Amino acid sequence: VPAGLIEDVAERQFCCAGCRTAYAIIHEHGLDRYYSLSEQRAAPVRPTGDSFESFDHTAFDALYVETLPSGLRRVELYLEGVHCASCVWLVERVPLILKGVARAELNVRRSLATVEWNPVVVRLSDIARQLDVLGYTPHPYRGAARNAIRTREDRAMLARIGIAAAIAINVMLAALALYSGGGGGIGAEWERYFRWISFIVVTPAMIWPARVFFAGALASLRVRALSMDVPIALGLAAGYIQGAVNTIADEGPVYFDGLAVLIFALLVGRYLQMRGQRAAADSAELLQSLTPSTARVVEDGTIRTIPSEALVPGAVVDVRAGDTIPADGTVESGASALDCSLLTGESKLVSVAPGDDVFAGTVNRRGGIRVLVTRPGETSRVAHLMRQVEESAARRAPIVQSANRLAGVFVAVVLVLATGTWIVWQAIDPARAVDHAIALLIVTCPCALALSTPLAVSVAIGRAARHGILVKGGDALEALARPSLVLLDKTGTITEGRATVVRWSGPDFVKRVVLAVEAQSSHPVADAFARAWPGVAAPVARDVRYTAGRGVEGIVEGARVVVGSPAFVLTRAESSGVASRTSEALTTILVAVNGVVVAEAEIGDTLRPDAAPAVDALRSRGWRVGVLSGDAQPVVDAVGRALGLPADDCVGDATPEDKLARVQAELRSGPVVMVGDGVNDAAAMAAATVGVSVHGGAEASLRTADVYLARPGLAPLVELTEGAQRTLAVIRRNIAFSIVYNIIGAGLAMAGMMPPMAAAVLMPASSLTVVFASWRARTFDGGPA
Amino acid sequence: VSVLYIVLPLALIIVAAAVGAYVWAVKRGQFDDLDTPAMRAVDDE
């Protein structure tokens, strides 16, 4: 329970009314044991205890804080750990807890809190500390400027859709009067009246909501490229002008109802597409907000905390163990090991010493270092990567566009057919000519077609995201639906990506001395030992000497201890015989005390438990599975054998360039899906038809990947291919349905067998069918295979 | 039926008013966040 909400008098403490009610209900029914169960699972609220003093800095003010006319200040903060209704309740209680806070409002979906406060009464750092105590660590939100643009875009789009919908409905009502009177029950005077009414009502739709299509078409013509807006704009303009001429001349069909509905349907499709593209950009944005917001800068021997945006090249920052490096730079003093997985995907720690380059976003794991800043803020490598992620997300052309283009062509064809029908029927039966042309226009309204793809894709992407699969665009789904070749990276994809003690044979007392000599090392082997025996306390070792790539030796409690590869240890100790390795993929480590080998360990990167079932599932669905790794060939071969893959498809010793070449070579014979993490896969993933980056994967891979699996292991990959297959089936079904429907409808109307009234009833039925089919389809809800 | 000459324009004016209200609501940010307000309903104070 957050400290700020503790009621001294109460026997039990609650974070919110919801918990209190829940507790009352649970208690009443004698189910108190629930709490003893849940306590073991739930992570306790752990405030960082940071002072947040940088939030009061003037540079912070200039960057994030807005001063309102009333004298209040406003800031947007990204909060960690927001998930449910009680979070809303808690965060929005802050004004009650802290005097001077005028307003705190939380957007749950984006974890963004808007806080307004009176700077005279309270400081922002106090508010930040309060939020931290409640369990929501605040970070300044850096996308504020972009966020404002996005909000404006969203609102404009919503306004357009609303207007288009209102107009479409009203024009259809007027059209209903025209069609039902079409049999001759309407007087010429009233017919003219309703035609004029629809003309007047549809005009604002052409001027406001449809302007996006005209603007888009003009822009694309100016750069001499045909975008999907051109046929749409052409169709809309032709229909409108022809309708206007016919209205004024008082003869021939008017197309206004079809136009109004088309504008509405196309706008809805575009809105769904826009939201899909943002999902990817959002995740990048959040990561950016999570890179450190403050830096401890060293000035004249004293250390001050300032916002990392205020750093300038040449400044020296102090980075403690556990801190994230705030800017790109070079190490000035101190030595440590960094976790660079954000950039490289390698979970292995990287040792740094004075003179080495370090990058913003990497985490200092060992000792304190001082860094001379070379590229702060927006110029840093991580900021550069984030920009590329956004750009590629915006550039990708989803299959949505092809459906829109189809709809545009469709409009043109329908207009031609309608005119043709009218001319032909003019010769056969002039009195019915207008009726049949109108029936054709109504019944062939392409909104079902325009909605079919974007709806199915956005429903699928939304459902996939709920299952921890982030898909950037519809084109990736399209490619993943057909089985082809999938190349898997080994380290971190098929395997756990870190060294683990697989086998240990030796007395327990040896564990202590091994940990003692390895304590100072950042080598993966040292990490493996430390993880394997977390409860073992190590004594202090003296005279520790490392031999790179071979082993380590030192004195522990007077005994001479050697730990390392067999070759290294056996030159320094006697052995009664070493067991042979159980697998090529493992590394043997010997431990000698006072010149005698006493223990033996095997260390390796173990397979993820779900790797083999996932590979089997993919293969049974017709995928060819291969391994492409930078690791040594024998290790890759061993992994391939464990998964039952043919030896030809398991390639080891591959440099990033080799991986790229291999992907390019395979692309000549068909689509390639590259699955990996880390910077050394980035080029191969970009070249592949679809790049999939797996959990733990780096931002570098997200930049080039089309799909990001936020859950560990390969099981989501199987789900992804199945979901893609189902999505494509839904799209095909939708398109086939709307085309068949339109062909039959158009045929009947041209043959003069469809009264306009029946057409008006059938038209929305086709759209509703498509909408219903898309929502109902269980594209990604089938669960793991 | 000539009442249509009055009723229809009247209906259109009402529609225009409704659309105007909608656009006003959109511009005021009423549709910016559709998830949180539903959760605010649990506040009983």
Side-chain angles (χ1 to χ4, degrees):
Chain A
V1 177
L5 284 176
I6 288 179
E7 299 167 35
D8 296 330
V9 287
E11 181 194 349
R12 291 172 191 279
Q13 307 293 344
F14 299 98
C15 61
C16 67
C19 298
R20 187 188 299 276
T21 314
Y23 173 76
I25 294 170
I26 290 169
H27 185 68
E28 204 174 298
H29 291 83
L31 299 173
D32 292 299
R33 220 169 72 82
Y34 166 79
Y35 286 100
S36 55
L37 287 175
S38 67
E39 255 164 41
Q40 290 154 15
R41 274 183 284 118
V45 170
R46 207 180 294 132
T48 60
D50 203 321
S51 69
F52 294 101
E53 60 187 54
S54 64
F55 281 37
D56 297 329
H57 199 272
T58 46
F60 187 95
D61 268 16
L63 281 162
Y64 304 116
V65 178
E66 195 186 340
T67 304
L68 302 176
S70 57
L72 295 179
R73 303 281 179 85
R74 173 155 62 197
V75 72
E76 280 199 331
L77 297 172
Y78 173 75
L79 302 185
E80 278 182 66
V82 169
H83 32 249
C84 69
S86 41
C87 300
V88 179
W89 189 88
L90 255 181
V91 170
E92 298 187 352
R93 282 299 153 284
V94 167
L96 295 183
I97 305 171
L98 269 182
K99 260 204 174 70
V101 182
R103 194 171 71 98
E105 223 173 79
L106 180 68
N107 180 328
V108 173
R109 200 157 42 87
R110 309 186 57 199
S111 300
L112 283 182
T114 310
V115 179
E116 288 177 14
W117 77 99
N118 182 346
V120 184
V121 182
V122 70
R123 283 175 310 168
L124 182 57
S125 59
D126 297 330
I127 303 170
R129 266 198 303 277
Q130 184 63 59
L131 286 168
D132 188 40
V133 166
L134 291 177
Y136 309 107
T137 310
H139 301 270
Y141 181 65
R142 296 168 199 208
R146 209 161 355 135
N147 202 28
I149 297 171
R150 168 194 286 211
T151 309
R152 215 165 37 239
E153 263 178 20
D154 262 351
R155 288 180 184 175
M157 200 66 181
L158 273 177
R160 270 189 228 118
I161 291 176
I163 294 166
I167 287 173
I169 291 165
N170 284 285
V171 175
M172 278 205 292
L173 285 177
L176 196 70
L178 281 173
Y179 300 143
S180 52
I186 193 168
E189 176 201 358
W190 291 108
E191 190 172 349
R192 203 177 315 124
Y193 177 58
F194 275 107
R195 287 162 66 117
W196 274 99
I197 288 277
S198 8
F199 179 42
I200 290 163
V201 173
V202 85
T203 304
M206 296 295 288
I207 294 170
W208 192 353
R211 202 174 54 200
V212 273
F213 302 111
F214 293 118
L218 266 180
S220 86
L221 286 179
R222 214 171 288 141
V223 296
R224 291 173 192 286
L226 269 185
S227 81
M228 55 167 179
D229 284 337
V230 175
I232 294 174
L234 217 66
L236 290 177
Y240 182 72
I241 292 167
Q242 183 66 47
V245 168
N246 287 352
T247 307
I248 294 161
D250 199 16
E251 59 175 15
V254 290
Y255 311 94
F256 300 133
D257 49 340
L259 289 179
V261 174
L262 181 63
I263 292 170
F264 171 64
L266 289 172
L267 283 175
V268 169
R270 193 159 290 194
Y271 180 65
L272 293 176
Q273 175 191 351
M274 191 169 86
R275 286 181 34 150
Q277 284 174 344
R278 279 181 183 169
D282 263 356
S283 57
E285 204 174 76
L286 291 189
L287 271 160
Q288 202 173 352
S289 286
L290 286 176
T291 52
S293 51
T294 59
R296 289 154 45 82
V297 72
V298 184
E299 280 169 353
D300 311 323
T302 57
I303 293 176
R304 271 193 321 127
T305 307
I306 66 164
S308 20
E309 267 73 8
L311 285 174
V312 288
V316 175
V317 288
D318 180 63
V319 185
R320 291 171 298 188
D323 281 357
T324 306
I325 293 178
D328 290 4
T330 48
V331 177
E332 207 185 51
S333 65
S336 179
L338 304 184
D339 177 354
C340 299
S341 57
L342 180 79
L343 282 169
T344 63
E346 294 294 334
S347 47
K348 217 180 270 181
L349 297 181
V350 179
S351 305
V352 290
D356 286 346
D357 286 335
V358 293
F359 299 99
T362 56
V363 184
N364 183 4
R365 287 288 181 217
R366 291 259 190 267
I369 51 173
R370 295 217 166 158
V371 174
L372 178 70
V373 174
T374 52
R375 288 177 304 172
E378 286 293 297
T379 54
S380 72
R381 198 172 141 191
V382 70
H384 191 66
L385 276 176
M386 296 305 170
R387 269 200 302 280
Q388 279 169 316
V389 173
E390 272 165 51
E391 279 164 18
S392 64
R395 211 174 30 238
R396 289 205 177 263
I399 36 174
V400 170
Q401 300 193 346
S402 66
N404 274 351
R405 196 158 41 232
L406 207 60
V409 173
F410 193 86
V411 171
V413 170
V414 166
L415 288 177
V416 170
L417 282 181
T419 318
T421 308
W422 184 69
I423 292 169
V424 170
W425 278 92
Q426 202 73 39
I428 305 169
D429 180 3
R432 317 283 297 165
V434 177
D435 274 7
H436 296 327
I438 287 174
L440 176 75
L441 282 173
I442 297 298
V443 84
T444 52
C445 167
C447 45
L449 195 64
L451 278 175
S452 58
T453 313
L455 202 62
V457 166
S458 66
V459 168
I461 288 178
R463 296 219 170 127
R466 230 177 296 153
H467 289 253
I469 301 169
L470 303 179
V471 183
K472 263 192 201 165
D475 49 351
L477 284 179
E478 200 178 9
L480 283 165
R482 271 180 296 276
S484 53
L485 172 68
V486 56
L487 292 173
L488 306 171
D489 179 36
K490 187 188 75 75
T491 313
T493 305
I494 304 176
T495 63
E496 299 280 1
R498 57 181 192 196
T500 314
V501 179
V502 181
R503 197 173 61 81
W504 166 260
S505 57
D508 270 357
F509 80 90
V510 182
K511 292 179 179 177
R512 294 175 61 235
V513 298
V514 170
L515 288 181
V517 289
E518 295 277 14
Q520 304 298 316
S521 167
S522 59
H523 194 272
V525 170
D527 278 343
F529 281 125
R531 261 199 314 275
W533 308 316
V536 178
V540 178
R542 285 188 296 114
D543 300 339
V544 177
R545 274 217 340 264
Y546 301 94
T547 308
R550 322 257 344 228
V552 58
E553 51 194 316
I555 310 284
V556 182
E557 292 170 347
R560 184 167 173 70
V561 178
V562 189
V563 180
S565 66
F568 176 77
V569 175
L570 291 177
T571 57
R572 290 160 173 78
E574 298 282 313
S575 170
S576 51
V578 178
S580 63
R581 280 200 276 178
T582 47
S583 165
E584 292 273 327
L586 300 175
T587 312
T588 307
I589 301 286
L590 296 184
V591 182
V593 176
N594 285 336
V596 179
V597 174
V598 291
E600 190 183 327
E602 273 185 317
I603 288 187
D605 194 2
T606 47
L607 288 183
R608 286 185 189 275
D610 62 350
V615 167
D616 288 344
L618 284 174
R619 280 161 56 112
S620 71
R621 280 168 183 75
W623 289 81
R624 207 178 116 214
V625 181
V627 180
L628 189 53
S629 171
D631 225 327
Q633 187 68 49
V635 178
V636 175
D637 283 342
V639 167
R641 271 198 305 280
L643 294 175
L645 298 174
D648 291 354
D649 286 338
C650 299
V651 178
D653 290 321
T655 62
E657 291 77 12
D658 291 343
K659 290 186 176 185
L660 178 62
R662 164 105 175 151
V663 167
Q664 280 166 340
E666 293 288 354
L667 272 175
R668 277 195 280 277
S669 51
V672 178
V673 178
M674 176 76 205
V675 185
D677 68 349
V679 82
N680 52 353
D681 295 323
M685 276 200 271
T689 324
V690 179
V692 179
S693 81
V694 294
H695 180 68
E699 289 334 293
S701 56
L702 191 65
R703 169 186 55 167
T704 40
D706 305 279
V707 181
Y708 177 72
L709 305 180
R711 278 189 293 147
L714 284 176
L717 184 66
V718 181
E719 251 176 86
L720 172 67
T721 57
E722 288 177 343
Q725 219 163 347
R726 282 194 286 263
T727 308
L728 212 69
V730 171
I731 293 174
R732 286 213 198 92
R733 207 167 59 211
N734 283 351
I735 290 180
F737 169 78
S738 49
I739 286 178
V740 166
Y741 163 86
N742 277 324
I743 287 173
I744 294 174
L748 287 176
M750 284 195 295
M753 290 160 72
M754 174 85 71
M757 183 61 190
V761 172
L762 281 178
M763 190 263 313
S766 72
S767 312
L768 286 178
T769 314
V770 166
V771 170
F772 184 70
S774 304
W775 277 114
R776 222 191 56 90
R778 297 171 56 82
T779 39
F780 274 92
D781 288 345
Chain B
V1 222
S2 48
V3 73
L4 275 180
Y5 281 120
I6 301 159
V7 171
L8 226 84
L10 205 68
L12 288 182
I13 287 166
I14 293 169
V15 167
V19 167
Y22 170 74
V23 171
W24 173 83
V26 166
K27 296 235 155 116
R28 283 276 309 269
Q30 297 277 334
F31 294 93
D32 286 358
D33 177 10
L34 298 175
D35 301 331
T36 318
M39 295 180 171
R40 250 171 229 146
V42 301
D43 301 10
D44 46 5
E45 298 157 61

